[in-house]
Amino acid sequence: VVWRMTHPDDVAMVKRTVVESHQTMQVWQAQYRVVLPNHQIKWLQGIARPSQQANGDVIWDGLIIDISDRKHIEEALRKSQQRFRNTAANIPGAIFQYVLHVDGTDHVNFMSQGCFDLWEVPAEQAQQNVQLLWQMVHPDDLRAMQNSVLESARTLQPWSWEWKITTPSGKVKWLAAAGSPERQPNGDVVWDSLAMDVSDRKQAEIALQTSESRLTTLIGNLPGFVYRAANTRDYTVEYISPGVSDITEYRPADYLE
């Protein structure tokens, strides 16, 4: 009856563990499924200690318990974790959980596979050594970034930051990240965070700033002044360059009032 009830996919495994226990006289342990007469499937866990009799036979004294509920919870958790990993893998950038301990040390609990696209470091290495990520932060940005993390930990306000990194291949990137902090019972602070590569946007902003600076310099060096007026009844001035002061002794702001 026992073997008839054992799930067909588990019979070979259970028999193997029994044989191993018999040969080694070690405690037998196994988790396996059984099929009840009503076709319901249950998970059982068994443990038994073998003892050899005078005639050479081996007898096991053991315990069998129903672990179906635990197995269902484990399976639901596994599926939930797999869905999370699939979602994280499809999000641009990297999802990570950063931990700041009360003693000032830190580490990464979780890092999605997008880590490599940002930092050129496998997620597993980042989890093992978070200093790999800190070492890439541009020296000009490091102190301010560290202070921003400490301030978020102190106030428990959301953290967000933009900073430059230099990857192992020498590539310079701009990253932006945001996270929500939560203090743990032991005093640690944990941020669930998302980091993204914003290099294209930052380069466009820098290019625009450079262009505007050059234009301002050019206009400032022109003789006279440059202006823009709207086609209204009073020809409202929308812009006028600083050169107007040299000619009229009025400030540009006076024309814009």
Side-chain angles (χ1 to χ4, degrees):
V1 173
V2 172
W3 294 117
R4 286 202 307 268
M5 291 179 60
T6 303
H7 193 285
D9 293 343
D10 296 344
V11 170
M13 178 273 293
V14 175
K15 287 185 175 181
R16 185 180 67 253
T17 61
V18 172
V19 170
E20 290 174 354
S21 177
H22 179 226
Q23 292 174 341
T24 64
M25 295 302 292
Q26 297 296 312
V27 173
W28 170 78
Q29 296 187 71
Q31 293 181 6
Y32 59 98
R33 291 164 293 177
V34 295
V35 183
L36 305 185
N38 63 2
H39 304 296
Q40 180 184 1
I41 296 177
K42 285 190 174 184
W43 274 94
L44 303 182
Q45 179 172 336
I47 182 169
R49 183 178 299 277
S51 59
Q52 193 164 29
Q53 306 304 297
N55 63 358
D57 292 346
V58 175
I59 295 178
W60 284 266
D61 296 305
L63 172 69
I64 303 291
I65 60 174
D66 185 347
I67 60 169
S68 301
D69 290 343
R70 192 187 83 195
K71 280 293 186 178
H72 294 327
I73 292 173
E74 289 176 353
E75 179 63 14
L77 178 60
R78 185 193 66 79
K79 289 181 178 179
S80 176
Q81 291 174 335
Q82 185 60 49
R83 286 194 296 268
F84 174 76
R85 284 192 291 268
N86 292 341
T87 300
N90 292 323
I91 291 177
I95 294 175
F96 63 99
Q97 188 177 72
Y98 175 77
V99 182
L100 180 63
H101 300 292
V102 292
D103 64 0
T105 60
D106 60 350
H107 79 278
V108 172
N109 264 346
F110 169 82
M111 176 70 77
S112 69
Q113 295 305 308
C115 176
F116 191 84
D117 294 333
L118 297 185
W119 287 282
E120 298 179 4
V121 169
E124 296 74 16
Q125 289 187 20
Q127 290 177 204
Q128 293 169 3
N129 184 9
V130 69
Q131 294 307 311
L132 293 175
L133 307 185
W134 282 112
Q135 290 165 5
M136 295 186 209
V137 179
H138 192 282
D140 292 345
D141 297 340
L142 181 58
R143 179 60 62 84
M145 183 176 177
Q146 291 173 330
N147 289 340
S148 73
V149 173
L150 294 175
E151 180 66 11
S152 177
R154 185 183 68 81
T155 63
L156 295 181
Q157 293 299 306
W159 172 77
S160 63
W161 201 254
E162 293 186 358
W163 72 101
K164 285 181 295 183
I165 65 169
T166 303
T167 66
S169 69
K171 187 174 183 180
V172 176
K173 292 183 178 181
W174 275 93
L175 302 185
S180 298
E182 182 178 352
R183 195 177 305 281
Q184 305 302 297
N186 65 355
D188 293 348
V189 178
V190 177
W191 288 262
D192 293 312
S193 308
L194 171 66
M196 300 183 69
D197 185 344
V198 294
S199 300
D200 290 344
R201 174 173 64 79
K202 293 299 291 188
Q203 289 168 0
E205 290 176 358
I206 292 172
L208 179 61
Q209 291 171 358
T210 300
S211 176
E212 291 178 344
S213 176
R214 289 174 178 171
L215 180 60
T216 300
T217 300
L218 175 62
I219 290 174
N221 291 331
L222 290 174
F225 59 89
V226 175
Y227 70 94
R228 179 190 297 124
N231 186 24
T232 60
R233 186 179 64 179
D234 297 328
Y235 297 102
T236 303
V237 175
E238 295 182 349
Y239 171 79
I240 193 163
S241 67
V244 69
S245 299
D246 297 332
I247 297 176
T248 68
E249 296 184 0
Y250 283 98
R251 300 171 304 155
D254 295 332
Y255 291 90
L256 301 176
E257 293 177 350

